[in-house]
Amino acid sequence: MSASDVVEEYIAQLSRWGRWGPDDELGAFNFTSAETVRAAVAEVRSGEVISLTLPYDQRGPQPGGFRSNPQLITTATGTDHVAGAQEQLPWGPAKGFGYADDVVVMPLQCGTQWDALSHIFHRGQMWNGYSAAEHSSAGAKRNGIERWCGRMVLRGVLLDIALLRGVAALEPGYAISVADLEAAVQAEGVDVRPGDALLVHTGHLEARRNRWGDYAGGPAPGLSLHTAPWLAEREIAAIATDTWGVEVRPNEVDRFQPLHTVALVHLGIAFGEMFDLSRLAAACRAEGRWSFLLVAEPLPITGAVGSPVAAIAVR
Amino acid sequence: MSASDVVEEYIAQLSRWGRWGPDDELGAFNFTSAETVRAAVAEVRSGEVISLTLPYDQRGPQPGGFRSNPQLITTATGTDHVAGAQEQLPWGPAKGFGYADDVVVMPLQCGTQWDALSHIFHRGQMWNGYSAAEHSSAGAKRNGIERWCGRMVLRGVLLDIALLRGVAALEPGYAISVADLEAAVQAEGVDVRPGDALLVHTGHLEARRNRWGDYAGGPAPGLSLHTAPWLAEREIAAIATDTWGVEVRPNEVDRFQPLHTVALVHLGIAFGEMFDLSRLAAACRAEGRWSFLLVAEPLPITGAVGSPVAAIAVR
Amino acid sequence: MSASDVVEEYIAQLSRWGRWGPDDELGAFNFTSAETVRAAVAEVRSGEVISLTLPYDQRGPQPGGFRSNPQLITTATGTDHVAGAQEQLPWGPAKGFGYADDVVVMPLQCGTQWDALSHIFHRGQMWNGYSAAEHSSAGAKRNGIERWCGRMVLRGVLLDIALLRGVAALEPGYAISVADLEAAVQAEGVDVRPGDALLVHTGHLEARRNRWGDYAGGPAPGLSLHTAPWLAEREIAAIATDTWGVEVRPNEVDRFQPLHTVALVHLGIAFGEMFDLSRLAAACRAEGRWSFLLVAEPLPITGAVGSPVAAIAVR
Amino acid sequence: MSASDVVEEYIAQLSRWGRWGPDDELGAFNFTSAETVRAAVAEVRSGEVISLTLPYDQRGPQPGGFRSNPQLITTATGTDHVAGAQEQLPWGPAKGFGYADDVVVMPLQCGTQWDALSHIFHRGQMWNGYSAAEHSSAGAKRNGIERWCGRMVLRGVLLDIALLRGVAALEPGYAISVADLEAAVQAEGVDVRPGDALLVHTGHLEARRNRWGDYAGGPAPGLSLHTAPWLAEREIAAIATDTWGVEVRPNEVDRFQPLHTVALVHLGIAFGEMFDLSRLAAACRAEGRWSFLLVAEPLPITGAVGSPVAAIAVR
């Protein structure tokens, strides 16, 4: 069977287009509910909060070009205040008052981030069959990241594949299989439930931290295309990894990012990328407990195809 | 007593500089702990999630100029894909694959946001006595917003002053007094605890929604300067309102934003601005319950003096 | 004859697509040559230099939104130097050395500017018949503004229609006719030659200066659609006005900017917009001489569909 | 004599602060006049126009970071038009009309550019003694680049030091001496006059073109600090080179960019950097004529400390 055939075959078997009606823009977040929120909150024991987000700054993983690292721009500074350039405030007497202000220029997928359902297309369509032309220079009229606001209070499960394989980090090109996922579930004694967020720890981010090289676009470990049926069956809402693109690179078949095509475009699953899972993995290993409350709301940037995210695990 | 004297007097009475050592950059978040996180989580009953964040887009409250509304920039579009301009991908064979990508240009205080402790200065200094020159064109070396990551899992209390005063919205210029705050606490039967986030509902955002006018910088209801001792005594970590600047405008004394000077610069309290509290207030009123889990992590933009925030209340 | 028919009729009569071969991206600049450059230079008498460019800043004509005014961003400031934040330079000992640096964020058509031949499309095509899909999120592969570099040393002719009509400024909606153009040529005693730049003074910019209102997109005086054959016959290289869009608004026929469709897309003429012609018109009137050297090079921003321009008339 | 002493000595000997009054912001452009414009224009013989500006795009010389290459952003595309996303125009019936629009984000000194007199400070002051605090986050109140509009119609003289030394390119670290400048003047038989722009060809840009490496900030040939008296005596208005910083790097004395301190801050001379002089040098060599009309107007970006420039030589 040719590469394209495999992808089309999975789509034919698994696609959820239309499952929640012709106007759906939530995708797999239809598996979440007030009940899953309560279950997520019930995972909190100690009150420890672990941030999963890389710093957004010029030392980030991007090499420049297509997606640069975020640029912080100052529009008023403490030095302005100290040097006397703020003595005449436009709004009232200063009398010692000073201020700083700033702007960020940020490619929305430059660091820790969610892909929206408008991020990827297949043969002219995005999630639920909307035309790709619903995304233009004006942004996304359908499936924008803002559709998910209020949905990112999730039960999180960490599957630690690096631990399973007995390595600090999986090698670039390592394709995480269904067998790996099942083995991790068994080893950890954790259950994966509908509406969960699955966090997959490869160790690749830690191996490259601050020596990024081609981290943000090069070869990487990641999920095999052939995990698509398993992901579908588990009815997870979201999957996130400590790599730039969730799925293994180079791709297993002769086309670009086939798992995005199946699992994001046709299953409606949120893809989280460049999540910093090192501290969380260490905490899970130390305690032998692999589930937690994950809060990871995207910014409601209207029509955006992704969003940076201040993701936290609460344990 | 002159205006300056009042402010200097409050500073003399209340300042917490040095309280948590000469290197502290957390400010009032020192009142939070794993214990306060557990107490915050314990507020969840139904699993309802309410977003408190305004959409980030060109229809936002900014009139242009100093702080513009966020601009979404597309760097790859669905229309590119549909029109055939993505047939040659740089990364591998497309075979039907298409993508969209984007960048945001966002003044960090243009919409729903937190002020960092590096946002405001008084007489050449910021929180804990650091020189204002620690904030330059390179950003904040001290008190950047990133210092608060992992700290914004808080017990939230809504004080509904509009309800208390029997109006849809307080008038611009209305100074919320200690008596108002105390009356709301009484009427709601809620307790305010160390490490809490206090959300103050004025109705002003709802009165101006989508007809913003001078909402983002003009006269507004807000906290009186003279609530500073009360805020200090309650040991709250954060305060947020549905107005652009937390405190009443025009200011009560002849200087710009005196409560920022006392409560942000000298008490180290996080100020949250333009929080959209309408749905939350309605839910609290309906249920007669005024406390909840607030998760409102800032983006860890290194050296930034504020951050947009995807804030949620979980009830 | 319907509106569409008129436009299609002019295209059928006048289109120059293919005239200079299938690979041409110069359009009407094919009428320029070293000879026209010498003739342009020969117009200089006194050595007076008159800038035709509006300041690029936040007080410019844009109301925000689609095209905002240019934003100057500072990345290093004199106040940083004064406040001591530049004492450690990354490049060598400061010993008193300080510097400022900055970035501009500028919609390329926000102020005085040229439209490139990739700016406007008609029925899926741009100048010379290239597909509009040659312009994507990656910019213009064909007809980018950079194609015109080195071509903007032109003989300029000012046609002062405000003077002709005896008004300070033509009214919005006033359609400048062939009769007007011919009368101005007669009254001024000037000749219009192949390769010239035609500058048309309406007075509209002066009438709105610093009280811009809807100047940058609203009703305006401008050229009638029916001047297209006259513009073609004169073989001018460029036309520029002191209005936002060269042609009259509201449009004379029931479609948007029909003269752009005929004269830019099919004749390959450069359109210059928001040229500040007041000082130049005054100088021409004072001297009774209406031709000059125009130097108005675009910035070679690769793939851009327009460019700000530091245009000057030298007399 | 110590390094600082040399610089301070030159300043003591040469400084022009106050020479043209306490309010001067033109600096050495005071040497220009209508007469120098006429003389510049009189240099035109053939009508050949040679662009001296590098393309502004992502393939430019910047390595990222402090000053990135310019970023072209599209806000409307030909692909939008082709894919049908422009069928509903906000301004009138499309009937086949389509458009593209774009924005540039450009560090003002990322490519071919002029330094303004507000770009460099010495001991808290800029040209003519203004406080460096006149440049804040709001830009330059004094000595902004816009002060020079209408002044950049100059007689240009190319001094070809690479030719003089018999090399394709001078080596990084080669300090061009007064003897070199004098020898080139002699060899070329050209005169340097008050108000001229001096263009110095090192060959360094050509040696690095499209293999930029550290071109935009690393070691480079350039003018010796000790040319300062010669530059002062010649009363030139501007100097430009095909290197990133005009003066030799590493610097000859133990401080950063001492010639900027003397010649820009104290003589008020415009510094032009990364001018692409290859074609011009070839034309001068071929013809044995080293003077020409230089038109190199900066964009009037209010308060900017530099500007990209579409510079041309007309011969």
Side-chain angles (χ1 to χ4, degrees), chain A residues 70-95:
Chain A
Q71 183 82 43
L72 180 67
I73 292 163
T74 55
T75 53
T77 60
T79 54
D80 289 351
H81 167 62
V82 168
Q86 290 184 357
E87 282 169 12
Q88 305 299 322
L89 291 184
W91 316 287
K95 299 187 177 173

Side-chain angles (χ1 to χ4, degrees), chain A residues 49, chain B residues 26 29-30 32-33 147-154 297-298:
Chain A
V49 178
Chain B
L26 284 177
F29 284 92
N30 282 291
T32 65
S33 64
R147 308 295 177 178
W148 284 342
C149 284
R151 293 282 165 169
M152 289 286 192
V153 181
L154 303 168
E297 287 278 305

Side-chain angles (χ1 to χ4, degrees), chain D:
Chain D
M1 193 185 296
S2 80
S4 292
D5 288 353
V6 174
V7 168
E8 300 297 345
E9 183 71 18
Y10 282 138
I11 291 171
Q13 284 173 31
L14 304 173
S15 179
R16 295 166 174 160
W17 289 8
R19 175 170 173 169
W20 294 290
D23 292 325
D24 182 67
E25 304 182 43
L26 284 177
F29 285 92
N30 282 292
F31 296 121
T32 65
S33 64
E35 189 178 358
T36 64
V37 171
R38 291 196 305 271
V41 166
E43 294 287 345
V44 177
R45 304 280 196 281
S46 67
E48 182 186 19
V49 179
I50 298 176
S51 173
L52 309 180
T53 298
L54 288 172
Y56 294 110
D57 61 36
Q58 287 285 305
R59 292 177 297 280
Q62 298 296 333
F66 178 59
R67 292 172 182 164
S68 58
N69 285 308
Q71 183 82 42
L72 180 68
I73 290 164
T74 55
T75 53
T77 61
T79 54
D80 289 351
H81 168 62
V82 167
Q86 289 183 356
E87 282 169 12
Q88 306 298 323
L89 291 183
W91 316 288
K95 298 185 178 173
F97 179 95
Y99 68 101
D101 232 74
D102 41 26
V103 176
V104 77
V105 181
M106 184 187 282
L108 293 169
Q109 312 212 2
C110 65
T112 306
Q113 45 93 12
W114 289 117
D115 288 356
L117 293 178
S118 45
H119 176 46
I120 304 293
F121 314 112
H122 183 56
R123 303 201 185 285
Q125 290 176 288
M126 57 170 116
W127 162 252
N128 216 23
Y130 300 120
S131 169
E134 297 282 340
H135 184 272
S136 71
S137 297
K141 289 186 186 168
R142 289 286 188 171
N143 294 335
I145 194 72
E146 74 277 11
R147 307 295 177 177
W148 284 343
C149 284
R151 292 282 165 170
M152 290 284 191
V153 181
L154 303 168
R155 180 173 174 270
V157 169
L158 185 80
L159 297 185
D160 192 338
I161 310 301
L163 177 65
L164 178 78
R165 306 295 304 178
V167 294
L170 302 176
E171 290 299 314
Y174 183 90
I176 297 168
S177 66
V178 168
D180 287 330
L181 297 175
E182 285 289 356
V185 166
Q186 289 298 320
E188 296 178 1
V190 75
D191 59 325
V192 178
R193 306 177 193 161
D196 276 0
L198 206 62
L199 274 54
V200 178
H201 181 236
T202 72
H204 187 55
L205 186 151
E206 195 60 45
R208 296 295 184 86
R209 193 189 300 274
N210 299 332
R211 305 179 302 277
W212 298 110
D214 67 357
Y215 171 79
L223 272 79
S224 167
L225 166 62
H226 307 295
T227 61
W230 189 91
L231 297 175
E233 193 182 356
R234 291 303 167 285
E235 300 191 338
I236 59 170
I239 187 164
T241 63
D242 55 354
T243 66
W244 73 269
V246 173
E247 61 184 299
V248 64
R249 286 280 296 161
N251 300 118
E252 300 155 288
V253 297
D254 186 35
R255 58 194 295 165
F256 187 64
Q257 302 295 67
L259 186 61
H260 278 71
T261 299
V262 179
L264 189 150
V265 177
H266 277 277
L267 297 179
I269 296 173
F271 275 40
E273 295 165 342
M274 298 192 254
F275 275 53
D276 185 353
L277 302 177
S278 300
R279 276 184 61 208
L280 177 62
C284 291
R285 292 176 187 189
E287 200 183 339
R289 196 164 62 85
W290 305 87
S291 56
F292 40 86
L293 167 63
L294 177 78
V295 186
E297 288 278 304
L299 295 182
I301 302 173
T302 309
V305 305
S307 176
V309 53
I312 52 172
V314 190
R315 293 173 58 78

Side-chain angles (χ1 to χ4, degrees), chain C residues 238-257:
Chain C
I239 187 163
T241 63
D242 56 354
T243 66
W244 72 270
V246 174
E247 60 186 298
V248 65
R249 286 279 297 163
N251 299 119
E252 300 155 288
V253 297
D254 186 34
R255 57 193 297 164
F256 187 63
Q257 301 296 67

Side-chain angles (χ1 to χ4, degrees), chain A residues 74 76-80 100-102, chain B residues 118 121 126 131-142 303-305, chain C residues 80:
Chain A
T74 55
T77 60
T79 54
D80 289 351
D101 232 74
D102 41 26
Chain B
S118 47
F121 315 113
M126 57 170 115
S131 168
E134 298 281 340
H135 184 272
S136 71
S137 297
K141 290 186 188 168
R142 289 287 188 172
V305 305
Chain C
D80 290 350

